[in-house]
Amino acid sequence: SQGEVNPGQRLAVDHTSGAIYTLFQQCPTTVANCNNIVADPKTIHWFLNRSTDGGHTWTLNGSSTGIQVASGQSTQPQPKFGTVNALLGGVNHVAVDPNNSDVDVVFGNRDPKTTNNRLSIVRLTADGNGGLKIGTPHFVTGQVQAALPSLAIAKNSKGTIGILYIVYNGLDQKTGYPTYTANL
């Protein structure tokens, strides 16, 4: 990874074709703040790549280094999420739809107006030439401080998508400790 962020690598398998997808993030060193660990916020780019031969070679849409599927602002690793988690493993997850082999990516997407660390999702679909085309990203959380997403897609007629994530609720008034809720 470039810049002062962990690549936050995630893997997903297409059980229909046997393809393996890897999702990872970069904070490009050409963008301001990426070489400064305490800078807030940082611009993060998420990349997806694919292997169809058990990991021997990797290529997606003709690129051996993968394709950029999303971009957003992030406060990783500083300031810490909820005062305790530096999000060193990234704010992202990937899953393959078992019904049609579409690929979904959830990623951290800080709202520049409210400065809330929200989550967005983008779907990639077959382009008809063996590659993937990138859809339009959409927020999946409201105006909350959200992180640590996990994504799953059901093998049913609707391809139901589930996203598990954590929301920071602020400090407990009695103890002063941070409080969180898990959301689905």
Side-chain angles (χ1 to χ4, degrees), residues 11-77:
L11 297 173
V13 176
D14 181 346
H15 292 284
T16 303
S17 69
I20 302 168
Y21 290 90
T22 179
L23 175 70
F24 57 95
Q25 65 182 12
Q26 291 185 346
C27 187
T29 55
T30 57
V31 176
N33 294 339
C34 280
N35 286 324
N36 182 348
I37 196 164
V38 295
D40 174 30
K42 290 178 173 52
T43 299
I44 304 293
H45 298 304
W46 283 270
F47 290 86
L48 187 71
N49 209 344
R50 174 180 64 196
S51 177
T52 57
D53 59 6
H56 294 285
T57 59
W58 293 86
T59 185
L60 183 57
N61 293 9
S63 173
S64 62
T65 57
I67 61 171
Q68 183 179 329
V69 297
S71 183
Q73 298 242 309
S74 178
T75 56
Q76 59 180 297

Side-chain angles (χ1 to χ4, degrees), residues 34-182:
C34 280
N35 286 324
N36 182 348
I37 196 164
V38 295
D40 174 30
K42 290 178 173 52
T43 299
I44 304 293
H45 298 304
W46 283 270
F47 290 86
L48 187 71
N49 209 344
R50 174 180 64 196
S51 177
T52 57
D53 59 6
H56 294 285
T57 59
W58 293 86
T59 185
L60 183 57
N61 293 9
S63 173
S64 62
T65 57
I67 61 171
Q68 183 179 329
V69 297
S71 183
Q73 298 242 309
S74 178
T75 56
Q76 59 180 297
Q78 297 285 338
K80 292 182 178 180
F81 175 72
T83 72
V84 297
N85 190 325
L87 302 173
L88 296 177
V91 182
N92 53 286
H93 207 259
V94 60
V96 177
D97 189 326
N99 303 290
N100 57 21
S101 297
D102 289 350
V103 178
D104 285 279
V105 171
V106 173
F107 60 98
N109 194 359
R110 182 177 183 263
D111 187 323
K113 292 180 182 174
T114 65
T115 68
N116 284 330
N117 293 298
R118 299 173 69 189
L119 299 175
S120 288
I121 191 168
V122 64
R123 179 164 272 225
L124 291 87
T125 56
D127 68 3
N129 296 312
L132 295 175
K133 61 183 175 182
I134 304 165
T136 303
H138 301 280
F139 282 113
V140 295
T141 60
Q143 288 293 345
V144 296
Q145 294 287 1
L148 307 175
S150 184
L151 173 66
I153 305 171
K155 187 173 184 174
N156 61 26
S157 61
K158 296 179 184 179
T160 303
I161 297 173
I163 303 170
L164 177 68
Y165 59 96
I166 303 297
V167 170
Y168 171 57
N169 301 315
L171 299 176
D172 182 274
Q173 291 184 4
K174 290 182 181 179
T175 66
Y177 292 122
T179 60
Y180 304 88
T181 54

